[in-house]
Amino acid sequence: MWLRLLGGLVGALWRSRLELTLVGAIVVVQRVLAGLVGAAAAWGLVLGLVAVVLAVPRARGWLRTALRAARVRRKWWAAWTDCGLPRVRAGRVTSIPAGELVRVRASRGSSLGHVEHRAEELAVCLQVREVRVTRDRENAATGTVTLVRRDPLAGVASVRWPQRDAAELSLWEPIPMGVNELGATVSVALPERNVLLGGEPGAGKSAALSLLVATAALDPSTRVWLLDGKLVELSVWAPCAQRLAGPDIDEAIELLRELRGEMEQRYRELLLRGQRKVAREDGLPLNLVACDELAFYLGHEDRRKQKEFAELLRDLVARGRAAGVIVCAATQKPAADVVPSALRDLFGFRLALRCNTPQASDTILGQGWASLGHDAATIAPVQRGVGLLLAEDGLPVRMRGFHLDDADADELAARAAALRADVWLSNGETRS
Ligand SMILES: Nc1ncnc2c1ncn2[C@@H]1O[C@H](COP(=O)(O)OP(=O)(O)OP(=O)(O)O)[C@@H](O)[C@H]1O
Ligand SMILES: [Mg+2]
């Protein structure tokens, strides 16, 4: 009992070592000076010294950061102790606009899985909005815990797409999609990828899809194929498209058949060239297939046509990668009864905009992300365009999507159509 008390006391002193060291240093300096100039004058000198140090912005910032980090580490210790977790130590603490990033290390016999499972209780103890855990890839014992205190994307109004004034773009280059919680631009590189976008009505799926289509439109070497279950969402890009299918399953099937023909032709070309896949320097075009309201086609009342559509699309997603076919599809909820999992699982990149439930968020991003704190149901309904992007780094990134308003989209589509016409004329080509 006494031993435990003593252990507790030593632990508490150790966790407050920074504050104790600072107070100790002040007392020691005062004592030394008191021997020379007297106690009162020594206090005056020490307080003056402290004031001078605090007047230097760098020193003040360092002290504030160090004290905040020490406080967070103490609270972390108290939280996992209160939750009865095996030991997970907190290390470096970094402030970010959303709260703090805490480097953590699980002791032997513990694991970061414990933190994942008890994230809600830990959030309560720490009095934060959310606790998110990311394990390091190379070491299961270490990782980063994000203590989310506020949503830095909450107050941000719509952010215009930085590429809207570009004269020409390349689909081979990464496409800026939005800004993350640190204010940095989040991009996706589409070649050899397929993107699934999901979210509740009005969450911003069509807006996000239009950034991908706009990039493809401004790349005259890319062929754009549009499927639009509403017709009005993508029609602005029609002058740049190889083909546009509206809310008509026969048209959509025709489009996919034609595209499959192109894909097979491309594979024959690659075989002749002795290549396995399309590369940027080949000059072979990429094909971007944008499908808005995927559920319209996959939920068609004619089961035979519905199945044919699903099979054609699945084939393009499955085999199109090396032939330069990129499929980007948007739908409200890609649950298995709407999007067959054989199709859904082939999409490598996912963008989950606001969802009603954590389950819906997981349907878009993949099983399990919501319980790790990556849950699109936590996005407020007013935050249109905010979502979680799961792309190259394999971890969902919360971001506010860039926005192309109707006027920008009209102007950009007209510019892209003119650019394409110029290129076709100068190449002496005609549209097929
Ligand atoms: N990134 C964004 N920034 C600001 N506003 C946005 C953004 N994305 C969407 N919005 C706003 O939200 C509205 C709805 O967006 P959008 O039409 O893309 O939603 P949706 O998910 O496609 O809806 P639905 O399921 O009904 O088709 C837009 O008209 C726009 O005003
Ligand atoms: Mg839409």
Side-chain angles (χ1 to χ4, degrees), residues 362-386:
D362 270 356
T363 322
I364 301 160
L365 292 177
Q367 245 352 278
W369 282 114
S371 60
L372 297 181
H374 303 286
D375 178 4
T378 60
I379 298 166
V382 289
Q383 289 181 290
R384 291 171 188 267
V386 174

Side-chain angles (χ1 to χ4, degrees), residues 57-72:
R58 242 181 135 161
R60 201 172 52 237
W62 179 86
L63 199 63
R64 195 188 300 124
T65 309
L67 287 171
R68 187 185 299 145
R71 199 171 58 239
V72 169

Side-chain angles (χ1 to χ4, degrees), residues 109-428:
S110 180
S111 81
L112 296 189
H114 286 114
V115 180
E116 287 167 14
H117 292 130
R118 307 290 292 276
E120 270 297 294
E121 287 109 310
L122 285 167
V124 170
C125 292
L126 291 157
Q127 295 187 321
V128 296
R129 276 169 62 125
E130 233 179 281
V131 170
R132 294 186 205 143
V133 192
T134 315
R135 255 179 52 170
D136 289 348
R137 281 180 207 277
E138 64 285 2
N139 186 351
T142 57
T144 303
V145 168
T146 311
L147 306 182
V148 185
R149 294 183 189 276
R150 60 198 83 84
D151 185 351
L153 302 175
V156 185
S158 104
V159 190
R160 289 177 85 191
W161 193 44
Q163 305 282 51
R164 69 184 181 281
D165 296 323
E168 190 171 335
L169 293 170
S170 167
L171 202 62
W172 288 97
E173 297 290 335
I175 304 170
M177 293 299 291
V179 283
N180 67 13
E181 291 178 328
L182 303 175
T185 299
V186 181
S187 304
V188 287
L190 285 191
E192 299 191 42
R193 303 293 186 177
N194 299 289
V195 189
L196 180 66
L197 304 96
E200 66 176 26
K205 300 178 293 296
S206 302
L209 191 61
S210 74
L211 304 182
L212 306 175
V213 180
T215 307
L218 275 173
D219 178 350
S221 68
T222 294
R223 295 187 182 170
V224 182
W225 306 78
L226 304 173
L227 297 123
D228 186 355
K230 273 191 190 152
L231 191 60
V232 291
E233 297 288 5
L234 295 175
S235 56
V236 62
W237 306 106
C240 309
Q242 201 74 12
R243 202 163 166 167
L244 167 74
D248 177 331
I249 190 116
D250 295 314
E251 265 181 31
I253 289 173
E254 267 309 304
L255 183 152
L256 294 184
R257 278 199 196 127
E258 186 181 335
L259 186 54
R260 186 175 59 182
E262 291 239 349
M263 176 177 76
E264 273 156 6
Q265 172 60 25
R266 185 61 41 80
Y267 274 121
R268 282 192 287 275
E269 275 176 63
L270 288 173
L271 185 68
L272 284 177
R273 292 172 180 223
Q275 284 175 222
R276 283 175 189 276
K277 64 179 186 185
V278 169
R280 187 173 189 169
E281 50 284 358
D282 296 342
L284 292 173
L286 290 172
N287 286 279
L288 181 97
V289 189
C291 177
D292 205 349
E293 300 295 338
L294 178 63
F296 170 83
Y297 302 107
L298 292 176
H300 197 270
E301 69 236 6
D302 185 330
R303 304 279 295 193
R304 192 186 54 77
K305 290 181 180 172
Q306 179 202 104
K307 251 186 111 185
E308 185 174 1
F309 177 91
E311 184 41 38
L312 279 163
L313 193 63
R314 195 205 56 76
D315 187 33
L316 284 170
V317 180
R319 290 198 296 139
R321 187 184 64 81
V325 177
I326 299 158
V327 180
C328 303
T331 183
Q332 288 173 358
K333 190 181 168 211
D337 54 341
V338 184
V339 184
S341 38
L343 169 61
R344 188 184 61 200
D345 295 347
L346 294 175
F347 286 89
F349 288 179
R350 314 286 179 103
L351 175 61
L353 293 136
R354 188 189 135 76
C355 296
N356 286 321
T357 60
Q359 292 75 19
S361 176
D362 270 356
T363 322
I364 301 160
L365 292 177
Q367 245 352 278
W369 282 114
S371 60
L372 297 181
H374 303 286
D375 178 4
T378 60
I379 298 166
V382 289
Q383 289 181 290
R384 291 171 188 267
V386 174
L388 295 164
L389 179 70
L390 180 60
E392 273 102 353
D393 50 7
L395 196 72
V397 177
R398 203 178 176 94
M399 60 156 211
R400 166 169 285 281
F402 290 125
H403 193 221
L404 258 185
D405 63 22
D406 289 349
D408 277 347
D410 285 347
E411 191 271 324
L412 211 149
R415 193 147 35 92
L419 172 70
R420 284 168 172 259
D422 286 349
V423 172
W424 280 326
L425 284 175
S426 64
N427 289 351

